[in-house]
Amino acid sequence: MQDVESRAGRLVRDALAPRSFRRATLQQARRCLLDYLSCAFEALPLPWSEQAVVLAVPAAGGAHVIGRAGTRRPDAAAFANAVAGHGLVREDMHAGSVAHLGVVVWPTVLALAQQQPVSGAQVLEAAIVGYETGARLGRAVMTPALARLFRPTGLVGPFAAAMAGARLAGFDEIRARHAFALAGNCCAGLNEWAHTGGSEMYFHPGFVVRNAWACLELARHGAHASASILEGQAGFFHAYARAPMQDDIVLFADGQAEIEQVFNKPAPACNFAQSPCQAALQAVQQAGARRIAAVRIDTTQAAVHYPGCDAIGPFQYALQAKMSIPFGVAATLARGAIAEDNYRRLDDPEIARLVSVTTLCADAAYSAAFPARQGARVTLQFDDGGTASAALDDVVAADDALIRQRFRLAAAAVLGADAAARIEGLVDCYEQVDDAAELPRLCAAGA
């Protein structure tokens, strides 16, 4: 097959094309960047972050790990930053692809920005292209059945990271297409962790960025890969969708950027638990002193069937609780709040009681509206026979004020308030910054 005929070739050409992004798109990219940094700073002391940074070998002229001193090998620094960014389970979410794209795109482009002179505008543009690539591919390939087995971030993340990196590195179409096709051989991430509470989920984006870095370096040095990686008889779609690729992947179709469809999580838990927990918080405010006898949660079929989302315990690890819609709702009802501390209360008797009286159901209307909207309804039945109910047509995303508040607290706890303010100010004007590497330098300890 000739390169010009391949769908990967057309996608890559589209990704490398010069573009001018509108203000709202750039603003959303900056918001996602600040939220990613917030998550990485806050997750710094968690076990998986500490385990990942052990692999980051010190190297002069390398890349910085967020919140830590010194420079490391760039691929290993990107690995550690990806794991930390995913460490709270509060990373940004693209519902249409069921993928967390920020935790694979930002570590890649920030590491690359420290290896060659690039501007903040170039980093933002490359990141937007990375989000677009992963989101469009995910929309085309992901199904509920596929998502039950394979982690969507692990499947489409290598393409997103490699494409963002190829654009930022200034690859021509041939090298970029080879890097993209090599990345198609790195799609991985099984969802067994959702059933066991295993910590491998935290490392999925690390595997993505480390492999994407290798793909970029191989392509840089002349490695070549299959032009038919997407549509070929043993390509991406036949392998994972188990069906032929129907249409080209068109980036920025109708002038729309997929990064604008990304939302920032309000709660440190699974995407599918967000709107049920928010509805539960509204419902419990109607309860007063009444004791809850039964709970019914109505939400999307995708949520009900995603691995771990219907778990009712017992819960051995916080990750199991963060994936479980019944646990998230029960903890919200028991504590009257949505907070990280909810997921530390695995042995709380009231949360366990509420989980035991919870029914999780797929609602036809909410399911039909997914993934454009993620609705949920929580209905409480009380011992006195009364009821209370609250419903949301969609998740209420973390707004700019909350994202900034979380960032300031997390970054200041690691680097101090002055450094946190400098980083926030730099992100706010990043497209005007000549040296993009200034940001990861500021995010390092001892900067």
Side-chain angles (χ1 to χ4, degrees):
M1 178 179 291
Q2 298 298 313
D3 287 3
V4 71
E5 296 176 342
S6 80
R7 288 175 165 176
R10 289 193 286 271
L11 186 155
V12 167
R13 187 176 306 114
D14 206 14
L16 297 181
R19 294 182 184 276
S20 295
F21 294 109
R22 63 193 188 112
R23 181 179 300 176
T25 306
L26 290 167
Q27 181 180 11
Q28 174 68 350
R30 294 195 306 270
R31 182 183 295 114
C32 288
L33 172 55
L34 192 68
D35 197 43
Y36 160 74
L37 293 174
S38 169
C39 292
F41 275 118
E42 191 170 340
L44 208 62
L46 297 178
W48 26 94
S49 299
E50 296 283 1
Q51 292 154 5
V53 80
V54 168
L55 306 185
V57 178
H64 291 284
V65 175
I66 293 166
R68 303 185 190 274
T71 56
R72 322 291 177 107
R73 273 184 39 182
D75 59 335
F79 179 92
N81 286 332
V83 174
H86 200 33
L88 300 177
V89 198
R90 204 187 68 202
E91 61 293 308
D92 64 29
M93 178 72 196
H94 182 266
S97 62
V98 208
H100 308 295
L101 298 169
V103 291
V104 299
V105 168
W106 295 117
T108 302
V109 295
L110 291 177
L112 272 170
Q114 298 170 79
Q115 303 307 302
Q116 61 186 80
V118 292
S119 67
Q122 288 174 289
V123 168
L124 291 177
E125 290 165 5
I128 292 166
V129 167
Y131 273 85
E132 187 76 12
T133 301
R136 297 282 179 177
L137 274 169
R139 283 190 187 277
V141 76
M142 292 311 305
T143 64
L146 185 58
R148 288 184 69 81
L149 300 174
F150 293 100
R151 188 86 188 285
T153 304
L155 288 191
V156 302
F159 292 116
M163 202 65 260
R167 182 181 175 104
L168 187 60
F171 280 14
D172 59 26
E173 283 185 23
I174 295 175
R175 278 191 170 85
R177 199 260 298 152
H178 288 315
F180 180 88
L182 285 166
N185 290 272
C186 300
C187 301
L190 299 174
N191 271 338
E192 183 60 17
W193 60 272
H195 303 289
T196 67
S199 64
E200 61 261 44
M201 183 212 74
Y202 297 113
F203 302 111
H204 285 165
F207 298 149
V208 166
V209 300
R210 187 173 61 187
N211 286 333
W213 191 276
C215 294
L216 291 165
E217 287 300 296
L218 288 169
R220 189 193 301 273
H221 291 287
H224 66 278
S226 306
S228 53
I229 190 65
L230 293 179
E231 74 275 24
Q233 58 185 325
F236 180 69
F237 278 83
H238 275 292
Y240 294 106
R242 296 294 177 177
M245 184 180 181
Q246 296 299 318
D247 301 299
D248 277 7
I249 304 298
V250 180
L251 307 185
F252 305 104
D254 302 319
Q256 300 300 308
E258 288 285 353
I259 196 171
E260 294 187 45
Q261 301 303 312
V262 169
F263 79 90
N264 302 96
K265 290 181 181 179
C270 175
N271 164 64
F272 292 120
Q274 302 290 317
S275 48
C277 288
Q278 291 178 325
L281 187 60
Q282 292 185 14
V284 78
Q285 290 168 354
Q286 307 171 39
R290 293 179 291 178
R291 183 176 185 270
I292 299 170
V295 182
R296 178 185 170 102
I297 306 166
D298 292 282
T299 187
T300 66
Q301 185 176 27
V304 172
H305 292 291
Y306 194 79
C309 284
D310 61 351
I312 57 173
F315 299 98
Q316 186 177 0
Y317 302 103
L319 183 54
Q320 292 169 301
K322 289 190 172 200
M323 292 304 300
S324 168
I325 297 172
F327 184 96
V329 166
T332 301
L333 296 174
R335 304 198 62 238
I338 301 172
E340 172 70 19
D341 188 59
N342 288 12
Y343 302 98
R344 300 189 182 103
R345 299 172 178 264
L346 304 184
D347 298 323
D348 186 298
E350 178 61 6
I351 294 176
R353 183 188 73 82
L354 290 170
V355 169
S356 72
V357 297
T358 293
T359 304
L360 179 63
C361 303
D363 178 89
Y366 291 144
S367 299
F370 180 82
R373 296 191 300 278
Q374 300 189 82
R377 179 174 56 255
V378 172
T379 304
L380 309 179
Q381 181 179 338
F382 303 107
D383 277 349
D384 62 9
T387 62
S389 183
L392 294 171
D393 288 334
D394 197 5
V395 61
V396 180
D399 61 14
D400 192 65
L402 178 57
I403 290 169
R404 290 179 184 275
Q405 178 189 37
R406 295 189 307 203
F407 170 79
R408 291 165 187 167
L409 289 172
V414 178
L415 301 179
D418 288 345
R422 289 180 65 195
I423 294 167
E424 183 179 353
L426 191 65
V427 171
D428 284 342
C429 65
Y430 204 35
E431 64 264 40
Q432 301 167 28
V433 173
D434 292 332
D435 180 11
E438 184 180 354
L439 179 60
R441 284 197 298 267
L442 281 178
C443 289

